[in-house]
Amino acid sequence: PRHGKYMACCMMYRGDVVPKDVNAAIGTVKTKRTIRFVDWCPTGFKVGNLAKVQRSVLMISNTTAIAEVMGRMDHKFDLMYAKRAFVHWYVGEGMEEGEFGEAREDLAAMEKDYEEVAQESVNDDMEGDEGDEF
C-alpha cells in the first residue's frame, strides 16, 4: 500500500520455487524499503511451501492502511443506516436493531486501533530520523 505499514505478511508458494529464491526475493524487498513494517515486527514475513503445481504464490498481509478502507465503510454504513436501508431484512431474520449500533462501534474502535498503530510507527520514524546525518 502507498500509506501505512505492514504488521504481518504470509507468503505461501507452490510449485518449482526453491527456498533460496524465496529468501532472495524477500531480502530484495526488505533492502529496497518499498514495503515498510512496524517497528515491533522485526522479521515481517512468514513463508510456506505447499503442494506441487507449476508455480503460484499467495500473499496474505495485515497493514495499517486498512484503516482508510474501514473509514470509507463507516461512512457508507452511516449513510445507509440513516435511511434504514436493508434494516428490515436483517430484523426479519432475527437480528435486533441495537446490534447495528454495536457493530458500528466495533468497526470504529478497530479503525482507531489501526490508526494508533500507524501513528506510533510514524512517531517512531520521526524520532529515529532526528539523529541521522546526511
Side-chain angles (χ1 to χ4, degrees), residues 2 11 13 17 21 23 39 44 51 56 77 94 97 101 105 116:
R2 294 180 188 147
M11 299 178 75
Y13 285 88
V17 180
D21 293 341
N23 292 334
D39 296 331
S56 68
F77 175 85
E97 197 162 335
E105 289 172 11
E116 287 174 0

Side-chain angles (χ1 to χ4, degrees), residues 33-102:
R33 298 281 189 191
T34 54
I35 295 179
R36 299 175 320 173
F37 283 90
V38 291
D39 296 331
W40 45 265
C41 184
T43 56
F45 288 91
K46 297 289 181 196
V47 179
N49 195 352
L50 299 172
K52 297 287 182 189
V53 294
Q54 184 71 20
R55 182 179 286 183
S56 68
V57 64
L58 165 75
M59 180 176 133
I60 301 171
S61 62
N62 186 6
T63 174
T64 58
I66 196 72
E68 294 176 22
V69 176
M70 289 179 189
R72 290 193 301 266
M73 286 175 41
D74 288 346
H75 178 70
K76 290 178 182 179
F77 175 85
D78 292 341
L79 293 174
M80 291 180 67
Y81 190 66
K83 296 178 182 180
R84 296 293 189 261
F86 304 104
V87 171
H88 64 284
W89 291 108
Y90 291 95
V91 171
E93 292 293 323
M95 188 173 169
E96 295 179 21
E97 197 162 335
E99 292 178 78
F100 286 97
E102 291 174 23

